[in-house]
Amino acid sequence: MSEMDIRAIVSQANDRWNAAFNRGDAAAVAALYTPDATVLPHTHAVVKGQAAIADFWAGLISAGIKEHGIELLDAQAAGDLAYSSGKWWATGSGEDGKPAQFEGTIVTILRKQNDGSWKLCLHTWN
């Protein structure tokens, strides 16, 4: 697979993730992960499986995190795995209750599914 193809696949996956999160649909976000996926947030928690991932994202959505975006920096593939790095941002309320902008870096690993789609199997950020 060419680098251009995998960049398009990862960009589309990021777009689907952002759209689901930004409409407040944690179940739709979780559906973008493999059943055995792991999310490793900056808090050092380990969130494993689609149900736990849905609960995790629902918590952030209900806390007022919104307007999430991802800038893809790099994407590579080897066989049925792809990895990407990028920058992310979102808005919400800071600890003082005032509007705040959050941002950091992101790394994802996607696994090609039997139907040809690509789903997240590992997701971490700071």
Side-chain angles (χ1 to χ4, degrees):
M1 176 176 303
S2 76
E3 182 178 337
M4 191 166 196
D5 291 341
I6 199 60
R7 284 186 69 85
I9 288 167
V10 172
S11 289
Q12 291 166 4
N14 289 345
D15 290 346
R16 285 189 298 275
W17 196 100
N18 287 325
F21 185 88
N22 289 333
R23 71 175 178 267
D25 191 343
V29 173
L32 300 172
Y33 293 82
T34 61
D36 62 342
T38 301
V39 170
L40 302 171
H42 72 284
T43 61
H44 306 289
V46 176
V47 183
K48 186 118 175 107
Q50 285 180 324
I53 290 169
D55 289 345
F56 175 81
W57 292 120
L60 287 178
I61 289 166
S62 68
I65 304 299
K66 57 188 177 183
E67 299 173 5
H68 192 280
I70 300 171
E71 175 190 354
L72 180 63
L73 297 178
D74 187 37
Q76 301 290 324
D80 65 350
L81 293 176
Y83 63 90
S84 70
S85 62
K87 295 180 180 181
W88 68 270
W89 61 89
T91 62
S93 296
E95 291 180 15
D96 58 3
K98 294 181 181 177
Q101 175 80 21
F102 305 101
E103 58 187 29
T105 56
I106 181 174
V107 173
T108 59
I109 299 176
L110 296 92
R111 185 182 309 131
K112 188 173 185 178
Q113 304 301 291
N114 289 335
D115 66 1
S117 66
W118 291 79
K119 291 191 173 190
L120 292 157
C121 60
L122 182 65
H123 180 179
T124 189
W125 66 94
N126 67 10

